[in-house]
Amino acid sequence: MSRNIIAILRGLRPEEARAMTDALIAAGITKIEVPLNSPLPYDSIAAMLDQAKGRATVGAGTVLNTDAVAQLSAMGAQMVISPDCNPDVIRAAKTAGMLSYPGVFTASECFSALRAGADGLKFFPAFKLGLDGFSALKAVLPADAETYAVGGVGPADFADWQKAGITGFGIGSSLYKPGRTVEDVARLAAETVAAYDEAFDGK
């Protein structure tokens, strides 16, 4: 079962990357991002790509410009995630054959992202948009648009967001934060996957 859960490992250090990759994949999380404002992010991403060996989709978050997209593409990264909606970044990612998940909050940003070729919309910060705000936007979006709630949304919220029509989640500090052990992350990843599976009823 492929789950639309993106693990956001903000603050990850390169020496943790391989073990965290294995722990997440073992739990059933196969989309992993390292934000570019982490320590030596490209080193961590390179280690994760090597460790995953095709078992997971690995990429970067907080991607703000096309230079970063080019560097990620050259490494073989598969996913570009941003906090904002920059059509140039989206188009560069798609031209390079990578998945693109830009950050959006308004109808204008949603449609700008989709027109540029985005694979999914990252609603950020989701806790500020809320279920009512998302439901209003969902009503005007294409029915097949992939939507991710990111920011202040954790496993306890999955069922409510699923009922509102969300198709996935980006999970950051409730899964990983600097100083957390591999064992901690493995346990939290398993809890996250269990909550997702319950919310989506195995879909």
Side-chain angles (χ1 to χ4, degrees):
M1 175 182 172
S2 177
R3 299 175 181 89
N4 283 330
I5 302 170
I6 299 173
I8 303 168
L9 308 184
R10 189 177 307 280
L12 184 79
R13 303 192 68 83
E15 59 268 25
E16 302 174 281
R18 291 181 182 273
M20 290 294 181
T21 301
D22 284 340
L24 291 168
I25 293 172
I29 296 176
T30 56
K31 294 183 178 74
I32 307 169
E33 71 156 278
V34 178
L36 292 184
N37 56 359
S38 303
L40 301 172
Y42 293 102
D43 291 356
S44 293
I45 292 165
M48 289 187 138
L49 286 165
D50 184 63
Q51 190 71 18
K53 291 181 171 61
R55 296 177 297 149
T57 300
V58 178
T62 320
V63 180
L64 300 175
N65 56 64
T66 56
D67 288 345
V69 174
Q71 189 167 347
L72 291 163
S73 175
M75 307 171 51
Q78 300 136 334
M79 185 168 59
V80 169
I81 302 171
S82 302
D84 64 339
C85 175
N86 183 333
D88 290 340
V89 168
I90 298 167
R91 283 190 285 265
K94 295 314 298 172
T95 298
M98 292 188 284
L99 296 168
S100 171
Y101 299 102
V104 298
F105 201 76
T106 66
S108 294
E109 290 171 340
C110 291
F111 284 100
S112 177
L114 292 172
R115 288 185 195 108
D119 294 280
L121 302 174
K122 167 187 165 178
F123 287 90
F124 174 79
F127 78 100
K128 282 294 185 186
L129 181 63
L131 289 165
D132 289 346
F134 172 71
S135 295
L137 290 169
K138 174 75 174 166
V140 299
L141 290 175
D144 61 350
E146 276 196 30
T147 54
Y148 287 77
V150 182
V153 175
D157 309 303
F158 284 1
D160 288 339
W161 280 87
Q162 189 275 332
K163 289 190 186 91
I166 207 81
T167 61
F169 301 93
I171 305 299
S173 59
S174 66
L175 179 62
Y176 173 86
K177 60 175 87 171
R180 202 164 272 169
T181 67
V182 174
E183 292 75 21
D184 289 338
V185 172
R187 174 179 53 80
L188 292 166
E191 292 171 3
T192 299
V193 166
Y196 180 95
D197 289 352
E198 183 174 354
F200 285 84
D201 196 26
K203 291 175 187 171

